[in-house]
Amino acid sequence: MFTTENYNIVSAPKKALFNWSSGKDSALTLYKILQNPDYKIECLLTSVNQQFQRISMHGVRVELLEAQAKSIGIPLKILQVPEMPTMEVYENVMTKALTELKNQGISYSVFGDIFLEDLRKYREDQLAKIGFEGVFPIWKTPTKDLIQEFISLGFKTIVVCVNERYLDKSFVGRIIDRDFINDLPENVDVCGENGEFHTFAFDGPIFSQPIDFEIGEIVYRKYEKPKTEDSSDTACDTSASDAFDFGFWYCDLIPKI
């Protein structure tokens, strides 16, 4: 005779989307959430600059983003976003995408955020409006521990963008290893959590095969300050009064065919 003591009742995993930036924090977070039986990742969600067809902020070509998703083996959903969108425009695009996913039974959204309290609150407030719940697997983990774990697991990532407020041109295009970490100035977070740098993950335990690319040219770009007060409320991090006084160094990665 069977009773409830003879077996465990296993609930179905919660359907979730994963906010994929293409970088190292996303890669490590995805690695961790894939090991959590409570969640099932249904798709990767990535914002792409509509004009240039590159990942927002990171500047990585969409072809390499698609190669990542193929190697990971999870469907990719791309959000086409205008360059330097206002918060209203960004939120409208995101709301439309999340509503479509909500209709597919997805109600959890996974992020690789680490310690930015305001950003987490903003995400959670926006998600709640659509009936979503945020999930933050690496939240409050010391960034020095995270980067060491990332390297020890066999992940590989290259720096594709640096903010010149914090780092000079010499840091862009470098592979993150212990030498890179040792070379960082003391005021720079080792995971770049304050926007000091962005990366592209190209190998590691979540990939069925490495992403093949060549290093292209290194370019400098400085964003213009919006001309009107209304348009200054952008979805990019421009909250600092001197945000537009600094530019960014980008390392172009060229897919190998």
Side-chain angles (χ1 to χ4, degrees):
M1 180 178 178
F2 287 97
T3 68
T4 55
E5 296 178 355
N6 297 122
Y7 59 90
N8 294 320
I9 300 174
V10 179
S11 59
K14 304 167 185 175
K15 291 185 177 182
L17 68 90
F18 189 94
N19 294 274
W20 178 256
S21 73
S22 81
K24 58 178 176 39
D25 298 336
S26 273
L28 182 59
T29 304
L30 182 58
Y31 171 81
K32 290 179 177 294
I33 199 71
L34 288 175
Q35 297 180 77
N36 187 337
D38 292 338
Y39 297 94
K40 183 178 186 298
I41 303 302
E42 298 288 338
C43 70
L44 306 178
L45 184 66
T46 307
S47 297
V48 166
N49 184 308
Q50 194 170 32
Q51 180 180 354
F52 297 103
Q53 288 303 293
R54 292 174 182 261
I55 300 172
S56 301
M57 294 306 296
H58 291 228
V60 174
R61 300 180 187 220
V62 72
E63 295 91 339
L64 287 170
L65 168 63
E66 292 169 341
Q68 281 183 323
K70 182 179 179 180
S71 182
I72 293 169
I74 296 177
L76 171 68
K77 184 174 179 62
I78 292 177
L79 262 64
Q80 298 286 351
V81 180
E83 186 175 20
M84 296 291 285
T86 63
M87 290 303 297
E88 182 180 4
V89 169
Y90 176 79
E91 288 169 4
N92 286 341
V93 172
M94 183 63 75
T95 297
K96 181 180 178 181
L98 293 183
T99 300
E100 292 175 357
L101 293 171
K102 181 72 173 178
N103 292 335
Q104 299 172 25
I106 300 172
S107 55
Y108 293 85
S109 187
V110 185
F111 297 92
D113 297 329
I114 306 173
F115 58 68
L116 300 179
E117 298 278 1
D118 290 347
L119 180 58
R120 174 167 177 165
K121 184 179 186 308
Y122 168 77
R123 297 200 197 282
E124 291 178 326
D125 289 347
Q126 294 302 311
L127 290 172
K129 296 177 182 178
I130 320 168
F132 269 77
E133 185 176 328
V135 182
F136 302 82
I138 62 173
W139 185 251
K140 291 297 184 181
T141 304
T143 51
K144 290 183 179 180
D145 295 344
L146 287 174
I147 198 64
Q148 294 299 335
E149 181 180 11
F150 180 86
I151 293 172
S152 66
L153 284 169
F155 278 107
K156 294 180 181 179
T157 193
I158 183 171
V159 178
V160 291
C161 170
V162 300
N163 185 334
E164 71 171 348
R165 179 193 296 180
Y166 305 102
L167 297 169
D168 61 43
K169 179 182 178 181
S170 68
F171 284 90
V172 73
R174 288 183 60 177
I175 302 295
I176 290 190
D177 53 17
R178 288 177 174 81
D179 288 337
F180 175 88
I181 295 169
N182 292 334
D183 289 342
L184 288 175
E186 290 186 5
N187 66 322
V188 173
D189 180 74
V190 292
C191 284
E193 179 69 350
N194 297 303
E196 298 98 328
F197 60 91
H198 299 291
T199 63
F200 175 77
F202 60 89
D203 199 5
I206 61 173
F207 298 106
S208 62
Q209 60 184 25
I211 312 304
D212 207 5
F213 62 88
E214 295 177 344
I215 295 179
E217 64 177 333
I218 293 176
V219 299
Y220 177 80
R221 188 170 185 200
K222 192 169 184 177
Y223 295 93
E224 292 186 8
K225 189 172 184 178
K227 295 180 175 59
T228 65
E229 185 176 344
D230 289 342
S231 62
S232 66
D233 184 22
T234 69
C236 299
D237 182 12
T238 58
S239 55
S241 60
D242 61 350
F244 292 95
D245 294 341
F246 300 92
F248 297 83
W249 288 103
Y250 289 93
C251 176
D252 190 19
L253 303 183
I254 304 170
K256 280 188 179 181
I257 300 175

